[in-house]
Structures are given as structure tokens and as C-alpha cells.
Amino acid sequence: MTLFLKGLAFGFVLAATVGPMWVLCFRRTIEHGALAGFVSGMGIAVADGLYGAVAAFGLTAISGFLLDKSFWLGLIGGGFLLYLGTKSLLAKPVLIQEENQPGKSLPEAFLSTFGLTLANPPTILAFVAIFAGLGLVSSADYTAASFIVLGVFLGSASWWVILAAGAGWLRRRMGPGLVRTINVVSGLSILGFAFWQLAQVLR
């Protein structure tokens, strides 16, 4: 239970840290509603859980393969962030009154954030280092490792529930002018993260 709670706390803090995925999920909630933001967050939570599993179970073959391909994955992820940032800057400030969006947009929302999160293989090294520092991988007990991974996933998922609910509440009280401001700020932020990631990859 202690390992589960540590994993839960780590997953929550990891998700709550402001980054390109945080900005992307917030903007999607403002534009498309709480469900779209929540589904986008679940894509990130699942990817965090998978990377947590690679670290917790010591799956060195998988981590080695992903790290070996980190240049191309990072390049693809950075390019996609450039696209999303540009799209956000050019988006029209139209408020959609209905919370429910067409079903076909939800799988796209999930897969885009899932893929973007996986496109950063060095995250595995961060999981390994932090898990070791917190004493989360002190044994080869698969049951303990499973509780750690479950905690990371649920901690990450709980943050996205909070973000989607909060942004959804805010969305219902906003005018087109504020939506446009959020689009611009989000777009510039995502572009900044994209340039930073591409610079790291090319370096």
C-alpha cells in the first residue's frame, strides 16, 4: 500500500507539472468540452503507466529499443507539436455550447496525446531515477511493481479529471475574446515546447 501511495503521488505530480500536454489538454477542454479534455488526459495517463511499467518491471530490452529510437521519436513528436501550436494560433474563437462532441473526435484526442507522450523515450530514465530515489524499485517483486504502476496511472488520471472538470467549468463562463486569448497563449506555449524539444533532439 505504501508503494501504491507513492506511485499515486508521483503520477499526480508528474501530470500536474505544466508542460505541452498540460496546455494541450486545457485548450482542448476549452474548445471541445470536458469530455474531450478528459479523453486527451487518459491518453497521457496510459502512456505514463506504460513507461512506469517499463521502469518498474526492469524491461531493459524495451527501454533500450525506445531509447535507441529516441532521435526519430523526438523529431516526430516535436514536429507534431509545431503543427498543434500553429493550429491553436490560427483557431477561430468559437464557443461550442454542447459538451458532447462527435464520437470520432475522441479516439483522435486519445491517440494524439498517447503518441506524443510516448514520443519522449528519455522519460523512462526519469522514471527509473525517481523510482530508485523513492525506493519504489527496491525489490523484484512483481506484485509490488504492479501496485506502483497502478498508482502512477491512477495518480496521473486523477489530475486529468481535475483539469478537465475545472476547465470545463471555466469554459461555460467565457466569451469569444477570452477564448481567442487562450488560443494564442496556448499556441505560443506549445510552439515554445516544440522548439525546445527539437533543439534537445538535434543537440
Side-chain angles (χ1 to χ4, degrees), residues 71 194-203:
F71 174 80
F195 286 126
W196 180 84
Q197 178 165 327
L198 290 173
Q200 294 297 311
V201 168
L202 295 176
R203 187 181 67 178

Side-chain angles (χ1 to χ4, degrees), residues 28-37 94-103 105-106 167-168 171-172:
R28 280 184 179 173
T29 303
I30 295 298
E31 185 176 13
H32 299 296
L35 182 59
V94 178
L95 282 178
I96 301 174
Q97 299 302 324
E98 296 295 330
E99 287 293 319
N100 294 324
Q101 300 301 306
S105 68
L106 297 181
R171 174 179 183 259
R172 293 189 293 271

Side-chain angles (χ1 to χ4, degrees), residues 134-149:
L134 295 176
L136 301 182
V137 289
S138 58
S139 69
D141 185 348
Y142 284 176
T143 300
S146 298
F147 275 108
I148 294 169
V149 174

Side-chain angles (χ1 to χ4, degrees), residues 3-39:
L3 292 176
F4 170 77
L5 292 176
K6 286 183 178 181
L8 188 71
F10 173 62
F12 184 88
V13 171
L14 178 69
T17 302
V18 177
M21 298 295 95
W22 195 106
V23 176
L24 181 60
C25 287
F26 178 82
R27 182 186 173 274
R28 280 184 179 173
T29 303
I30 295 298
E31 185 176 13
H32 299 296
L35 182 59
F38 170 73
V39 171

Side-chain angles (χ1 to χ4, degrees), residues 10 45-68 114 117-118 120-129 131-132 136-137 139 142 145-146 148-150 152-153:
F10 173 62
V46 171
D48 284 343
L50 288 177
Y51 271 161
V54 170
F57 288 99
L59 304 177
T60 54
I62 295 177
S63 61
F65 172 80
L66 291 172
L67 290 170
D68 185 55
F114 176 76
T117 305
L118 288 184
N120 189 26
T123 301
I124 296 175
L125 299 178
F127 269 101
V128 171
F131 280 11
L136 301 182
V137 289
S139 69
Y142 284 176
S146 298
I148 294 169
V149 174
L150 179 62
V152 168
F153 169 74

